[in-house]
Amino acid sequence: MAKPKALLLVTMEPSAADEQEFQDWYDTEHVPERAAIPGFLTAQRFVCVQGWPRYVAFYDLAYHEVLNEPGYLAVSGDRFSPWTKRILGRVTGLYRAEGIQVFPGDAVTGASGNAPWLILWRFRGTEPAQDDEIVAGLHQIYQGYPDLLQFRLFRSSYDN
C-alpha cells in the first residue's frame, strides 16, 4: 500500500527593511533547494492579503518520512546555510507544521489550477475516527462554492 502524501506548511514575515533580501533568498536559494529534495513534490509560496503573517509556503511531500531522510536533513536544522540562518533569525511569525493527507488522497497544491484564496482551518481535539465526519462537513460548507478548486484535510500531531 502506498504511503499517504503529506504537507509541510511554513509561515513567516520579514521586516520592511529585510523584504528585498528575503525575496532574493526565497527565490534563489530556499525554494530551489527544497524543490530539489527527493520526495518534495511541490514548493509554493503564497502572499496573505488579509491577516498575518504575510507569507505561507506549502511543500507537498510524497510521504511524511521525507522530512527524516538524508536529502532534507542535509539542508535543515543545524545544516541551514549561513544565508538561511540570517534570514530566519530576522523574520517574525515563523510557524512550521507537518500533516499527513487524509483527504482526498493524491492531491497536491495547484494541481487544479492557481488558487486565488487559501483557507486554513484547524480542528483541535479531534481523533482520526472523526476524519470522515470532518470531510463530510467541509463538503457541505463548500458545495455552495462552484468555483472551489480543491480542499484537502491533513492530520497532524502538533498541539500548537
Side-chain angles (χ1 to χ4, degrees), residues 126-148:
T126 64
E127 298 296 325
Q130 295 172 284
D131 290 345
D132 289 342
E133 184 179 334
I134 293 169
V135 169
L138 290 172
H139 270 296
Q140 278 189 322
I141 291 168
Y142 289 118
Q143 70 184 358
Y145 296 87
D147 295 333
L148 177 71

Side-chain angles (χ1 to χ4, degrees), residues 15-75:
S15 69
D18 293 324
E19 179 78 25
Q20 187 56 55
E21 184 181 11
F22 175 83
Q23 299 298 337
D24 293 343
W25 164 77
Y26 224 103
D27 293 341
T28 62
E29 179 177 289
H30 193 69
V31 167
E33 183 178 73
R34 295 301 181 270
I37 296 170
F40 271 61
L41 304 175
T42 67
Q44 298 184 43
R45 178 171 49 139
F46 300 91
V47 178
C48 180
V49 294
Q50 293 178 339
W52 181 88
R54 187 161 176 215
Y55 298 103
V56 61
F58 288 175
Y59 303 96
D60 287 289
L61 309 173
Y63 47 91
H64 185 259
E65 293 80 9
V66 166
L67 299 174
N68 297 317
E69 292 180 349
Y72 182 70
L73 295 176
V75 296

Side-chain angles (χ1 to χ4, degrees), residues 83-118:
W83 198 10
T84 296
K85 288 177 184 176
R86 185 172 66 249
I87 292 294
L88 293 182
R90 295 178 178 172
V91 299
T92 58
L94 186 59
Y95 174 77
R96 182 182 187 278
E98 307 159 13
I100 296 172
Q101 188 162 289
V102 173
F103 178 86
D106 284 339
V108 295
T109 306
S112 300
N114 292 330
W117 289 89
L118 297 170

